[in-house]
Amino acid sequence: MRLQFLVQGSSPKPYRVTAEGVGQGLRMFCTCPAGSRSNVFCKHVAAMLMGDVTKLVQPSDRVEDLREQAKGSPLLAQALAHVPVSEQKRRVEGFDNLQQVFAAYEPVVVQAGCEMRFRTEDVDGYSEHLEVFGFTPTGRRSKKVTLSLSYFTTAFDELFDENGKIYHANHRPRVRPWTVRKGGVPTSRKELATSLPDFIDGVEELVQRSRRTE
Ligand SMILES: [Zn+2]
């Protein structure tokens, strides 16, 4: 399947980004000066692969199709590496729910050889979780969650009953709903704007690690 996008670059005439093939066979072309030289991965191709629609001349729902087609493509990791971390963080702070984060980062996590799952829970209040299964220190695929980003609607206190058993009480809306855990340990409990960059750092570490073990 062939997809085309018109992207506004530095010249008045928009550049044309073309995608052909799927998965590992995906190939991307751009008519900009950098992209039209062979073997140069330009920022317009990177932007399309990362789902950045801000420079599209016209809105296109084909960007979602491209992200489907790009699953399993090595170009995804290349695209992520191409976008400066500061830029990724600035851009993704616009996410307002975990499904959006999942849609954007699952292909990258899969490309790094890891797995990401989305789940919800309804114990002591509703919560949503993005869980990444990365690598153990010896380089094997971990069966445990190595990195997670969670949203908890509800806070509570842990109290002891007269038999010394823990119970949960004083349920209330949580003021700082977002939590990042690395290796099971909470690293931050705060707003999305600060937790999401932590999470993306974690994903980036996984991508780097998968490159080293190749
Ligand atoms: Zn280009």
Side-chain angles (χ1 to χ4, degrees):
M1 190 155 115
R2 190 163 198 255
L3 299 174
Q4 290 202 315
F5 305 94
L6 285 178
V7 180
Q8 192 59 58
S10 49
S11 92
K13 193 166 174 248
Y15 300 128
R16 187 182 300 276
V17 173
T18 306
E20 281 176 7
V22 295
Q24 301 218 339
L26 179 72
R27 294 188 306 153
M28 301 282 298
F29 309 94
C30 181
T31 55
C32 81
S36 53
R37 288 198 298 275
S38 59
N39 295 326
V40 178
F41 197 89
C42 74
K43 61 184 176 186
H44 313 108
V45 166
M48 287 300 96
L49 282 171
M50 298 310 295
D52 179 1
V53 297
T54 55
K55 293 285 168 58
L56 275 184
V57 172
Q58 287 170 336
S60 170
D61 52 11
R62 309 308 293 278
V63 176
E64 283 306 306
D65 296 339
L66 174 61
R67 295 189 64 79
E68 264 316 299
Q69 264 178 256
K71 280 188 180 174
S73 164
L75 295 179
L76 282 170
Q78 223 177 323
L80 182 69
H82 202 276
V83 182
V85 171
S86 59
E87 171 69 15
Q88 291 173 40
K89 287 178 181 172
R90 191 190 60 69
R91 189 152 56 78
V92 295
E93 276 162 20
F95 287 114
D96 56 6
N97 65 56
L98 279 178
Q99 276 109 328
Q100 282 179 15
V101 181
F102 182 81
Y105 281 89
E106 203 226 358
V108 178
V109 168
V110 168
Q111 183 52 42
C114 305
E115 189 186 339
M116 180 152 70
R117 289 185 205 160
F118 174 77
R119 69 179 177 88
T120 63
E121 205 175 87
D122 207 354
V123 182
D124 289 312
Y126 178 73
S127 57
E128 294 188 345
H129 309 268
L130 269 191
E131 297 174 329
V132 177
F133 298 79
F135 299 96
T136 64
T138 55
R140 295 192 186 179
R141 271 283 284 277
S142 175
K143 293 189 179 73
K144 289 188 191 153
V145 176
T146 51
L147 173 71
S148 67
L149 175 64
S150 300
Y151 181 92
F152 294 93
T153 57
T154 309
F156 53 83
D157 298 326
E158 288 192 327
L159 303 175
F160 293 96
D161 67 15
E162 57 232 47
N163 299 318
K165 274 189 76 180
I166 289 180
Y167 71 101
H168 297 163
N170 304 332
H171 292 72
R172 56 196 179 272
R174 196 143 133 179
V175 180
R176 296 187 162 181
W178 297 93
T179 300
V180 172
R181 285 170 182 264
K182 287 181 182 170
V185 183
T187 60
S188 51
R189 266 193 193 142
K190 17 189 196 190
E191 291 81 25
L192 182 61
T194 42
S195 294
L196 191 49
D198 282 356
F199 179 75
I200 291 162
D201 275 349
V203 172
E204 177 68 15
E205 280 165 25
L206 290 176
V207 172
Q208 298 296 344
R209 186 189 280 241
S210 79
R211 280 203 199 111
R212 278 201 300 275
T213 54
E214 263 168 16

